[in-house]
Amino acid sequence: MMYLITTWFGSFLCDEQGIQKKILFPCEEKELLNRIQKIQNNEILSEEKKLIKNTTVTVQEKRLQHIGTWDSKNSFFIQIHMKPEDYGFSRELLHQLSMKLAKEKMDTQLQAEDLQIIQMADALDDLIQIANLLSERLERWLLIPTPEEKIQPVHHTLSTVKEEMNHLEQQIEKDMQHLAPNITMLVGSLIGARLISLSGGIERLAMFPASTVQILGAEKALFRFKKEGGKPPKHGVIFQHPLINRAPRDERGKIARMFAAKISIAAKADAFTKRLIADELRTNLEKRIHEMHEQKTKKKQ
Amino acid sequence: MSSVEINGLIKKHDKLFTENLPQCRGIQVYNEKLLTINGKEYRSWNPYRSKLAAALHKGIKNIRIQPDTQILYLGAATGTTVSHLSDIVTNGMVYAVESSPISMSKLLKVSTQRTNIAPLLMDANHPQRYKSFVPIVDILYQDISQRNQAEIFIKNMDSYLKKDGQGILMMKARSIDVALQPKKAYEQVGEELKKQGITITDVVELSPYEKDHAVLMATW
Ligand SMILES: C[S@@+](CC[C@H](N)C(=O)[O-])C[C@H]1O[C@@H](n2cnc3c(N)ncnc32)[C@H](O)[C@@H]1O
C-alpha cells in the first residue's frame, strides 16, 4: 500500500518501508506560501498529481479524496514523521510562514464588519447601564433639597450619555441596514445587533438552531434551569420586541418560537445568500400569529 | 509538587520558573516576575494563570517534555502557557492553534521573538486543516472550554499523537455539562476517551488554582 503525505515543505510517497518518492517545494517563502494557500483552499497541488501518477494511494486529508482512498484514521499516518531539517528546511522558516499566514488571516477576520457591530451593541448596553445609574442617583439626590449647581455635574453627564446613546443607535441602524438587512427589517437594528453580539458574529448566528436564537441573552436563566430545574426560559433578547412583550402572557412562548424561526432564516439570508426575504418572512409570521388567534377563538367557542 | 525533572524548569521557594529564551531577555508575557540566577533569566510560572503550572503543582506525574519535544497545543489563547512551553522546548516546536483572531493578535506578539512557536489561526474541530503544518507530535495539549472538548481531543489524537505520545487534556466541568457534578463530568469524558481505545493514566483536580477544572493525562 502506498501513502501520499504533503507537508509544508514537500510531498511524499511512502510505504511501510519508508519514503519511496518525494518532491520538495522550492525553499522560498513566496513559493511555500503559495502552496499553503492552495492547500487551505482545498486544491490539489501539481506536485501531488505528479507524484501519484499511475499509483493508487491512501490519503489522510479529505482534500485529497479525489486522487486517493481517503482513510483519515489509518495508523500509518501517526507513525511516519518527515523532519524538515532533514531536507534543508529550517524551523525558523516554518515559524515565519505560520506567522505570516496567521497575520493575514487575522487581519481579514478582524476587519469583519460584524465585529464593529458587536462592539457598538455592547457599548450601547454599557451606556444604558450608566444612564440608569446616573438617573437613579439624581432621583435620590433630589429627594433632599438640593441647589441646582450641586447636581449639575451628574445632570450634565447624564445628558451627554443620552446624546451619545442616540448617536450610537443611529450608527448601529445604519451599519445593520448594510450588514444584516433581513434581520434589521424583521426585529429592528438594536435587537438584531444584540443577537449578533450574543452569538459572536453573523455567521455564527446563522448557524444556530432557532431554539437557541429564541433564548440568546437568557443564558443565566437557562443555566439556572439546567441546574435547579423549574421552568425553562422561553425567550432571550427577542423578548424586547413588542410583538412578544405586548402579546398576552399565554401567547408569548409560542410567538417567541415562531419569531425565532423567522429570525434564524433571516440570519442565514444575511450571512450567506444575501437575498432580501424579510418582507416574505414578516408576512408569513403575521399569518402564523393570525392562525394561532383563530384557533384560540375556535377552542373557546 | 511533582518530582518531574524537566530541563529548563526550576523550583524555588515552592514556586515554578522556566528559563527564559536568550532572545527574550527582559520581556514579560503576562506581567510575570523575572529572576536572574547565575546570569540566566527565569520567568515565574503562575499556577493561577496557567493550568499546566497548576497541574505541576498538583503533582501530575511522568510528564515528558524535553528540549526537542514537538507539542500540538489547542486553545493557545494569548500564549501564557505556550510561552513557558516555548522556554522549555528550545529545540522543539509548539504548534499553537487558536481560533479567536483577537487572542491571536497577542499570541503573534508573544511569538515574534520565539521561533519555536508556530501560531495557527485555525479551528481545532478541523484537525485536517493544519495537516500541512503539524507533524506527528510527542505531546497533544488541549485547553478549550467547549462542550465537545472530548470529541476535539479524540480527533486530534487520531491525526497527530504518536504511538507512545502523551495527551494532556484540561477539562472544565461546566463546559461538559452544567448540571453534572464535576467528578461525574470528568468521568464522562474519561469514558468517551476509553471507548476510542485511549488509555487514561492520571486525572487530577486543579483546585485551589482553578475551580471545577481537572487535568487528564492520556496515551494510546
Ligand atoms: C481557556 S482558554 C486557553 C488558555 C491557555 N491555554 C493558557 O493557558 O494560556 C481557551 C481558548 O480556546 C480557544 N478556542 C475555543 N474553541 C476553539 C477551537 N474550536 N479551536 C481553537 N481554539 C479554540 C478560545 O478562543 C480560547 O482562547
Side-chain angles (χ1 to χ4, degrees), chain B residues 7-220:
Chain B
N7 224 313
L9 178 74
I10 62 163
K11 212 165 50 175
K12 214 172 153 48
H13 308 306
D14 237 28
K15 288 197 168 108
L16 289 174
F17 290 83
T18 55
E19 186 183 333
N20 201 1
L21 296 179
Q23 68 267 31
C24 297
R25 251 194 122 83
I27 303 176
Q28 292 166 303
V29 172
Y30 57 107
N31 244 329
E32 71 280 16
K33 221 166 127 191
L34 300 177
L35 196 76
T36 309
I37 307 169
N38 293 337
K40 283 182 185 161
E41 188 172 83
Y42 291 88
R43 299 166 50 230
S44 105
W45 194 357
N46 186 340
Y48 291 94
R49 299 286 301 277
S50 165
K51 284 164 214 150
L52 185 54
L56 289 168
H57 274 275
K58 293 288 306 240
I60 49 163
K61 288 174 221 94
N62 302 326
I63 180 165
R64 294 190 303 267
I65 313 182
Q66 254 119 50
D68 63 350
T69 299
Q70 305 264 340
I71 303 174
L72 172 55
Y73 192 117
L74 309 175
T78 53
T80 306
T81 302
V82 168
S83 69
H84 287 286
L85 288 171
S86 149
D87 281 348
I88 297 170
V89 299
T90 47
N91 275 315
M93 199 80 193
V94 185
Y95 305 88
V97 176
E98 170 57 49
S99 62
S100 145
I102 296 176
S103 299
M104 183 51 74
S105 67
K106 172 89 197 285
L107 182 62
L108 286 180
K109 278 202 195 98
V110 173
S111 309
T112 309
Q113 319 283 336
R114 298 175 172 272
T115 51
N116 59 356
I117 300 177
L120 300 164
L121 179 51
M122 309 235 189
D123 182 346
N125 277 297
H126 303 284
Q128 296 300 320
R129 297 201 184 143
Y130 34 92
K131 192 74 223 172
S132 48
F133 292 96
V134 184
I136 302 314
V137 296
D138 307 298
I139 291 181
L140 169 66
Y141 183 101
Q142 177 177 314
D143 180 9
I144 288 181
S145 358
Q146 296 279 335
R147 213 191 173 69
N148 63 340
Q149 45 188 301
E151 185 197 334
I152 297 178
F153 191 64
I154 293 166
K155 275 192 215 167
N156 280 276
M157 261 186 91
D158 275 344
S159 305
Y160 293 106
L161 190 67
K162 71 172 190 194
K163 264 273 159 323
D164 53 349
Q166 279 186 318
I168 304 175
L169 173 62
M170 295 299 168
M171 300 183 287
K172 179 176 176 185
R174 278 203 168 172
S175 325
I176 301 163
D177 190 334
V178 290
L180 275 187
Q181 289 285 327
K183 277 229 165 62
K184 286 263 151 53
Y186 308 143
E187 275 167 25
Q188 188 181 309
V189 171
E191 287 307 315
E192 256 181 86
L193 300 187
K194 275 186 214 154
K195 261 189 238 151
Q196 303 297 319
I198 294 167
T199 312
I200 292 157
T201 55
D202 210 357
V203 175
V204 180
E205 296 204 283
L206 298 184
S207 60
Y209 305 108
E210 289 277 354
K211 205 174 152 247
D212 292 346
H213 279 73
V215 55
L216 178 151
M217 304 278 293
T219 187
W220 282 116

Side-chain angles (χ1 to χ4, degrees), chain A residues 94-140:
Chain A
L94 170 61
H95 165 80
Q96 262 174 46
L97 293 172
S98 65
M99 292 284 289
K100 203 150 205 169
L101 212 76
K103 171 103 181 45
E104 267 173 29
K105 220 166 147 186
M106 180 186 82
D107 287 345
T108 3
Q109 287 185 15
L110 287 181
Q111 274 163 14
E113 258 179 291
D114 46 358
L115 289 179
Q116 288 298 330
I117 295 274
I118 291 172
Q119 291 301 326
M120 287 195 285
D122 294 355
L124 183 62
D125 285 338
D126 292 345
L127 289 181
I128 291 173
Q129 269 197 33
I130 295 169
N132 286 341
L133 271 176
L134 293 178
S135 306
E136 270 172 43
R137 172 60 51 223
L138 273 180
E139 240 171 69
R140 288 195 182 192

